[in-house]
Coordinates of all heavy atoms in Angstrom, one line a residue:
Chain B
Q121 N -12.5 -6.9 9.6 CA -13.0 -6.2 10.6 C -14.0 -7.1 11.5 O -13.9 -7.0 12.8 CB -13.9 -5.0 10.1 CG -14.5 -4.1 11.2 CD -15.4 -3.1 10.5 OE1 -15.4 -2.8 9.3 NE2 -16.3 -2.6 11.4
Q125 N -12.6 -7.7 15.6 CA -13.3 -6.6 16.2 C -12.5 -5.8 17.2 O -12.0 -6.5 18.2 CB -14.6 -7.1 16.8 CG -15.6 -6.0 17.1 CD -16.3 -5.5 15.8 OE1 -16.5 -6.2 14.9 NE2 -16.6 -4.3 15.7
G126 N -12.5 -4.6 17.2 CA -11.7 -3.8 18.1 C -10.3 -3.6 17.8 O -9.7 -2.5 18.1
S128 N -7.9 -2.1 15.6 CA -8.2 -1.2 14.6 C -7.0 -1.0 13.6 O -7.1 -0.3 12.6 CB -8.5 0.2 15.2 OG -7.3 0.5 15.9
Q131 N -7.8 -1.9 10.1 CA -8.8 -1.0 9.5 C -8.1 0.4 9.1 O -8.4 1.0 8.1 CB -9.9 -0.6 10.5 CG -10.9 0.4 10.0 CD -11.6 -0.1 8.7 OE1 -11.7 -1.2 8.4 NE2 -12.0 1.0 8.0
G171 N -3.4 7.8 18.2 CA -4.2 6.6 18.4 C -5.6 6.6 17.8 O -6.5 6.2 18.5
M172 N -5.7 7.1 16.6 CA -6.9 7.1 16.0 C -7.4 5.6 15.6 O -6.7 4.8 15.1 CB -6.9 7.9 14.6 CG -6.8 9.3 14.8 SD -7.7 10.0 16.3 CE -9.4 9.6 15.6
N173 N -8.6 5.3 16.1 CA -9.2 4.0 15.8 C -10.7 4.0 16.2 O -11.4 4.9 15.7 CB -8.4 2.9 16.6 CG -8.3 3.4 18.1 OD1 -8.9 4.3 18.6 ND2 -7.4 2.8 18.8
G174 N -11.0 3.0 16.9 CA -12.3 3.0 17.6 C -13.6 3.2 16.9 O -13.8 2.5 16.0
P175 N -14.4 4.0 17.4 CA -15.8 4.0 17.1 C -16.2 4.3 15.6 O -17.2 4.0 15.2 CB -16.5 5.0 18.0 CG -15.4 5.9 18.2 CD -14.1 5.2 18.3
R176 N -15.2 4.9 15.0 CA -15.5 5.3 13.6 C -15.3 4.2 12.5 O -15.6 4.3 11.4 CB -14.7 6.6 13.2 CG -15.5 7.9 13.3 CD -14.8 9.0 12.7 NE -14.4 8.7 11.4 CZ -15.2 8.8 10.3 NH1 -16.4 9.1 10.5 NH2 -14.7 8.6 9.1
V177 N -14.8 3.1 13.1 CA -14.5 2.0 12.1 C -15.6 1.6 11.2 O -15.5 1.6 9.9 CB -13.9 0.8 12.9 CG1 -13.7 -0.3 11.9 CG2 -12.6 1.2 13.6
S178 N -16.6 1.2 11.8 CA -17.7 0.6 11.0 C -18.3 1.7 10.1 O -18.8 1.5 9.0 CB -18.8 0.0 11.8 OG -19.3 1.0 12.8
K179 N -18.5 2.8 10.7 CA -19.1 4.0 10.0 C -18.3 4.3 8.8 O -18.8 4.5 7.6 CB -19.2 5.2 11.0 CG -20.4 6.1 10.7 CD -20.3 7.3 11.6 CE -21.6 8.0 11.9 NZ -21.4 9.0 12.8
A180 N -16.9 4.3 8.9 CA -16.1 4.6 7.8 C -16.3 3.6 6.7 O -16.2 4.0 5.5 CB -14.6 4.6 8.3
F181 N -16.5 2.4 7.0 CA -16.7 1.4 6.0 C -17.9 1.7 5.1 O -17.8 1.7 3.9 CB -16.9 0.0 6.6 CG -17.3 -1.1 5.6 CD1 -16.3 -1.7 4.9 CD2 -18.6 -1.4 5.4 CE1 -16.5 -2.6 4.0 CE2 -18.8 -2.3 4.4 CZ -17.9 -3.0 3.7
E183 N -19.2 4.6 4.7 CA -18.8 5.8 3.8 C -18.0 5.4 2.6 O -18.2 6.0 1.6 CB -18.2 6.9 4.8 CG -19.1 7.4 5.8 CD -18.4 8.3 6.8 OE1 -17.2 8.5 6.7 OE2 -19.1 8.8 7.8
N213 N -13.7 14.2 14.5 CA -13.3 13.2 15.4 C -12.1 13.5 16.1 O -12.0 13.4 17.4 CB -13.3 11.7 14.7 CG -13.4 10.7 15.6 OD1 -13.9 10.7 16.7 ND2 -12.8 9.6 15.3
S216 N -12.4 16.7 18.4 CA -13.1 16.4 19.7 C -12.2 15.7 20.7 O -12.2 16.0 21.8 CB -14.4 15.6 19.4 OG -14.0 14.3 19.0
R217 N -11.4 14.9 20.2 CA -10.4 14.2 21.1 C -9.4 15.2 21.6 O -9.0 15.1 22.7 CB -9.7 13.2 20.2 CG -8.6 12.3 21.0 CD -8.2 11.1 20.1 NE -9.3 10.2 19.8 CZ -9.2 8.9 20.1 NH1 -8.1 8.4 20.6 NH2 -10.3 8.2 19.8

Side-chain angles (χ1 to χ4, degrees):
Chain B
Q121 182 187 338
Q125 193 76 36
S128 64
Q131 177 58 27
M172 289 320 295
N173 47 16
R176 261 190 54 76
V177 173
S178 58
K179 214 183 202 173
F181 176 83
E183 293 171 2
N213 194 27
S216 67
R217 182 170 295 234

